[in-house]
Amino acid sequence: MKLNLNFVNKVPKIAKDNEIILLTPKIIKSKEIKQLAKSIFNNKLFSEGNFLAKDYNNKSYVFVNCTKSKVSLDFEKLGSKLFVFLKENKKENSFINVENNSFTNVQLEKFLHGAQLKSYNFNLYKTDKKKRFVAVQVRFVEKFISPISLEKIKKNKAISHLPLIKQSRLSVMPVDMKSWKILNNMGKL
């Protein structure tokens, strides 16, 4: 299932029957949901599993237990779990009506971010037909006699194409053989 987030002013007709309600201890505005909330909070599945799908007045609801969520990471994790719940229960075309929820904008953003992250498909090795895991072992071989500072590397025009120069916060990068020899010479190896 692919997650597609749409921010709209009106609830689309296709999603009208599947509403996601994010329940927190704050006051619930909707009378219809207020009536359901009491029985939902008493439901053991809801308190243990965080989610409960319930049909009421020809409408399908997915209730999300947000009472334990305190920090941003909690909301992201809950959003991630909601995505899995919706996927497993084949609940597509659902919507969140912000008027029926007591989330702040930041909480809602983190919640949706968690759901969106869970929806990504991280197949890095798509060319591997046999579904094998690919790993590279790295070991220490030799120490440079003189350390090479980033400043020295930046001054050397012959290796100015390296990602180390162009990208910040880089931990691993490809190095071509010509550049590797230049680095070895700079380190007096």
Side-chain angles (χ1 to χ4, degrees):
M1 184 168 96
K2 186 177 175 184
L3 180 68
N4 187 12
L5 296 176
N6 294 315
F7 299 92
V8 295
N9 293 330
K10 291 171 84 178
V11 177
K13 289 179 184 178
I14 196 164
K16 263 194 171 145
D17 297 332
N18 298 309
E19 185 171 356
I20 298 169
I21 306 291
L22 310 169
L23 290 176
T24 61
K26 292 185 179 181
I27 298 168
I28 299 166
K29 297 172 190 171
S30 167
K31 289 179 185 179
E32 195 173 88
I33 295 165
K34 207 181 261 190
Q35 291 173 344
L36 283 169
K38 290 177 188 174
S39 67
I40 288 165
F41 276 116
N42 292 331
N43 187 307
K44 193 174 181 179
L45 284 173
F46 179 70
S47 59
E48 290 176 1
N50 291 328
F51 306 104
L52 183 67
K54 194 166 182 95
D55 293 330
Y56 183 73
N57 285 348
N58 296 323
K59 193 170 183 180
S60 179
Y61 293 96
V62 174
F63 292 95
V64 182
N65 187 351
C66 304
T67 56
K68 297 173 190 158
S69 300
K70 305 289 183 219
V71 294
S72 294
L73 184 61
D74 294 339
F75 290 99
E76 269 190 41
K77 286 180 180 178
L78 196 58
S80 172
K81 289 177 184 176
L82 174 68
F83 177 80
V84 172
F85 179 83
L86 294 173
K87 185 177 179 181
E88 287 174 354
N89 292 284
K90 296 178 176 63
K91 296 273 184 189
E92 296 181 15
N93 300 318
S94 300
F95 75 101
I96 298 173
N97 184 349
V98 290
E99 292 178 11
N100 289 340
N101 295 287
S102 53
F103 266 28
T104 64
N105 286 344
V106 173
Q107 291 169 333
L108 185 60
E109 176 194 339
K110 294 297 180 184
F111 182 80
L112 294 173
H113 180 69
Q116 196 166 25
L117 283 176
K118 192 66 175 184
S119 74
Y120 292 147
N121 189 2
F122 293 104
N123 289 334
L124 295 178
Y125 305 108
K126 289 186 177 180
T127 57
D128 187 7
K129 304 291 184 209
K130 295 181 181 176
K131 306 274 187 227
R132 292 174 291 143
F133 178 74
V134 178
V136 177
Q137 291 185 344
V138 179
R139 66 179 173 83
F140 174 79
V141 176
E142 203 172 348
K143 184 178 177 181
F144 284 130
I145 295 169
S146 103
I148 310 166
S149 69
L150 181 60
E151 187 179 328
K152 285 182 185 176
I153 294 171
K154 285 182 177 181
K155 286 181 181 177
N156 191 324
K157 298 292 180 198
I159 54 175
S160 63
H161 66 283
L162 289 176
L164 179 65
I165 310 299
K166 298 177 181 181
Q167 298 172 352
S168 63
R169 303 179 72 194
L170 191 64
S171 59
V172 178
M173 66 172 192
V175 178
D176 58 88
M177 190 51 79
K178 181 181 173 190
S179 301
W180 180 244
K181 287 178 181 175
I182 292 169
L183 289 168
N184 281 324
N185 289 334
M186 289 173 72
K188 296 182 175 83
L189 233 182

